[in-house]
Amino acid sequence: NEKVTDDATFLRQSYDIECNWKTYIDNYLEGYHIPLLHPELNAGIEFRSYRVENGERVCLHRANARDGAAYQGLWLWRYPNQSFAVYARGMNFSRVLPLSADRTRLAIDFFFADLAPAAMAAARRNRIVILPFLRSCRSASCRRSRRALRRT
């Protein structure tokens, strides 16, 4: 953590994952996984209000935030590999960096007005939830599903 000002904190996290970068982006661009993989986010938004607006080279995700939630229900993905997320007291900026056909680096910069222990724990939980899911995308069943989708 690095203090930017007396009331602002910067945190950089980077993760190398065994996943094609396009698979990660596909996951980011749909909201169906939120109730299962992001229970804190799901509790902080009204999922029935979740909407996606596609524009030229951008995809805006919105959902109404519940009172007192850390999440503000606003995410932006910019082609080909950048995302922004807005929180009650900060934001993050992410880059999805291809390393090889099956390896990707996620580089995430967090900017918060304060970084309480609960906020730190939530940021770290993202890694715990995302990585096992993305590893499963290398399984035989996932490969069969992708082949079936290409045929339809």
Side-chain angles (χ1 to χ4, degrees), residues 5-21:
T5 66
D6 286 342
D7 60 352
T9 302
F10 167 76
L11 169 68
R12 173 169 284 163
Q13 294 182 332
S14 181
Y15 311 108
D16 289 356
I17 56 175
E18 295 181 30
C19 175
N20 183 283
W21 72 278

Side-chain angles (χ1 to χ4, degrees), residues 17-29 77-82 95-106 134:
I17 56 175
E18 295 181 30
C19 175
N20 183 283
W21 72 278
K22 292 175 279 187
T23 301
Y24 180 84
I25 295 294
D26 279 348
N27 178 66
Y28 185 90
L29 290 177
W77 174 77
R78 183 177 179 274
Y79 179 85
N81 65 341
Q82 300 170 339
R95 280 116 21 244
V96 180
L97 307 167
L99 299 176
S100 68
D102 61 354
R103 293 204 43 86
T104 300
R105 176 167 295 143
L106 304 179
L134 292 174

Side-chain angles (χ1 to χ4, degrees), residues 18-19 102 133-143 146:
E18 295 181 30
C19 175
D102 61 354
F133 167 77
L134 292 174
R135 282 189 199 107
S136 73
C137 286
R138 298 184 71 195
S139 70
S141 62
C142 190
R143 286 191 299 273
R146 285 191 298 245

Side-chain angles (χ1 to χ4, degrees), residues 26-146:
D26 279 348
N27 178 66
Y28 185 90
L29 290 177
E30 54 83 7
Y32 301 114
H33 70 281
I34 291 172
L36 179 64
L37 294 178
H38 304 290
E40 288 181 358
L41 170 59
N42 194 51
I45 62 171
E46 295 173 4
F47 189 73
R48 289 181 182 263
S49 71
Y50 194 95
R51 300 289 180 265
V52 178
E53 300 170 33
N54 293 308
E56 189 171 328
R57 303 174 73 88
V58 297
C59 185
L60 180 65
H61 297 243
R62 295 178 194 246
N64 295 333
R66 297 185 190 279
D67 288 341
Y71 300 98
Q72 291 300 293
L74 182 62
W75 307 269
L76 175 75
W77 174 77
R78 183 177 179 274
Y79 179 85
N81 65 341
Q82 300 170 339
S83 68
F84 302 88
V86 177
Y87 302 94
R89 300 193 39 87
M91 62 160 284
N92 74 32
F93 170 66
S94 303
R95 280 116 21 244
V96 180
L97 307 167
L99 299 176
S100 68
D102 61 354
R103 293 204 43 86
T104 300
R105 176 167 295 143
L106 304 179
I108 308 168
D109 294 333
F110 293 91
F111 302 89
F112 284 98
D114 63 39
L115 208 54
M120 283 291 293
R124 287 193 177 102
R125 275 193 297 279
N126 273 340
R127 182 174 193 248
I128 293 167
V129 170
I130 292 169
L131 295 182
F133 167 77
L134 292 174
R135 282 189 199 107
S136 73
C137 286
R138 298 184 71 195
S139 70
S141 62
C142 190
R143 286 191 299 273
R144 282 193 299 274
S145 297
R146 285 191 298 245

